[in-house]
Amino acid sequence: MAPTREMSLETKERIVKLLEEGNPSRMVAKDVGCSQSAVSKIWTKYKQHGMVVKAKRTGRPRKTSKRQDKQLKAICLENRKSTTKQMKHKWEEVGVNVCDRTVRNRLKEMGFQYRKAKRKPALTPKHKRTRLQWAKERQSWTVDDWMKVVFSDESRICIGQGDDGSEPVLSFLLESQSPHPGICSPNASIIKEQLHN
């Protein structure tokens, strides 16, 4: 037998309004497209509570709390290259015993998804010349000179043929809007120079 479709709150409110206007239950049932017994039940509950009551949803109770979900998020962000099983084992260490499917469901709810890390751009000959020139101009700098430089904007750069991006990583759904989504490891840095005269 197919499950009964839950009546919307708007339909229930309409039933109550029609009954309060003095319409017979048979006519109300025909108007909203439900059985007369359903109309009677809604009217009875309305008189008991003084308001239209939304039915409680049935189904399996949620296995994890909000606090436990936050623990999983912290585990995921610690290493987004971890597999579902690895995160499941770490979650078990803090007392959460669930199946792999539950781990995947929670990550999906948080906005994470598994996909291949996007291919990182390799350095072009122009990039290499510019960086070599930059390094030569500063090869005689003292410690005091380097103390005036602010290092920022960490980004991964491949000097060779580039990363094939074959290793799966977990990323936020919003990261897909970024020009270079995925995990960026600080293997190299783009240096933003702010010298104080």
Side-chain angles (χ1 to χ4, degrees):
M1 185 177 177
T4 305
R5 184 179 178 184
E6 172 62 26
M7 189 180 294
S8 68
L9 191 63
E10 290 78 12
T11 303
K12 291 179 180 180
E13 290 174 344
R14 176 169 174 75
I15 288 172
V16 170
K17 183 180 179 181
L18 291 171
L19 290 172
E20 286 180 333
E21 291 174 353
N23 296 293
S25 59
R26 177 179 288 183
M27 191 191 80
V28 174
K30 186 177 180 180
D31 183 82
V32 299
C34 69
S35 65
Q36 194 171 342
S37 62
V39 171
S40 300
K41 286 179 182 178
I42 291 168
W43 181 243
T44 301
K45 287 183 179 180
Y46 175 75
K47 289 192 292 184
Q48 288 174 349
H49 298 91
M51 60 183 292
V52 178
V53 180
K54 189 175 182 179
K56 292 183 178 179
R57 291 186 176 272
T58 58
R60 292 181 63 182
R62 191 177 178 88
K63 284 189 173 183
T64 60
S65 64
K66 289 184 178 180
R67 180 174 173 273
Q68 291 170 331
D69 292 345
K70 287 181 179 179
Q71 290 173 338
L72 176 62
K73 185 175 181 179
I75 292 170
C76 174
L77 293 176
E78 185 179 344
N79 181 11
R80 287 194 278 175
K81 292 184 180 179
S82 298
T83 63
T84 301
K85 285 189 178 294
Q86 289 171 337
M87 284 186 278
K88 175 179 175 291
H89 292 323
K90 281 200 171 186
W91 214 9
E92 286 175 347
E93 292 175 3
V94 294
V96 183
N97 296 308
V98 294
C99 63
D100 293 355
R101 182 182 291 275
T102 300
V103 175
R104 289 193 294 269
N105 289 341
R106 295 297 176 271
L107 291 172
K108 188 176 180 181
E109 290 171 4
M110 295 175 199
F112 286 103
Q113 65 176 356
Y114 269 109
R115 60 183 177 81
K116 286 185 179 181
K118 193 166 183 179
R119 189 184 181 100
K120 302 300 184 295
L123 289 179
T124 64
K126 182 180 178 181
H127 291 154
K128 293 177 183 179
R129 287 195 302 270
T130 303
R131 282 155 178 73
L132 180 60
Q133 181 184 352
W134 187 93
K136 286 181 175 179
E137 289 173 355
R138 293 159 180 79
Q139 62 182 344
S140 60
W141 275 24
T142 65
V143 174
D144 290 335
D145 292 328
W146 286 112
M147 290 294 289
K148 299 174 183 177
V149 179
V150 176
F151 293 83
S152 65
D153 301 329
E154 282 191 348
S155 178
R156 183 171 177 174
I157 299 170
C158 298
I159 297 176
Q161 296 300 316
D163 192 345
D164 62 4
S166 59
E167 190 170 9
V169 296
L170 271 169
S171 63
F172 283 113
L173 293 176
L174 291 178
E175 287 182 345
S176 61
Q177 300 171 4
S178 173
H180 302 293
I183 307 300
C184 290
S185 303
N187 293 348
S189 297
I190 296 175
I191 302 175
K192 182 179 179 182
E193 191 178 350
Q194 295 182 355
L195 297 177
H196 305 288
N197 297 325

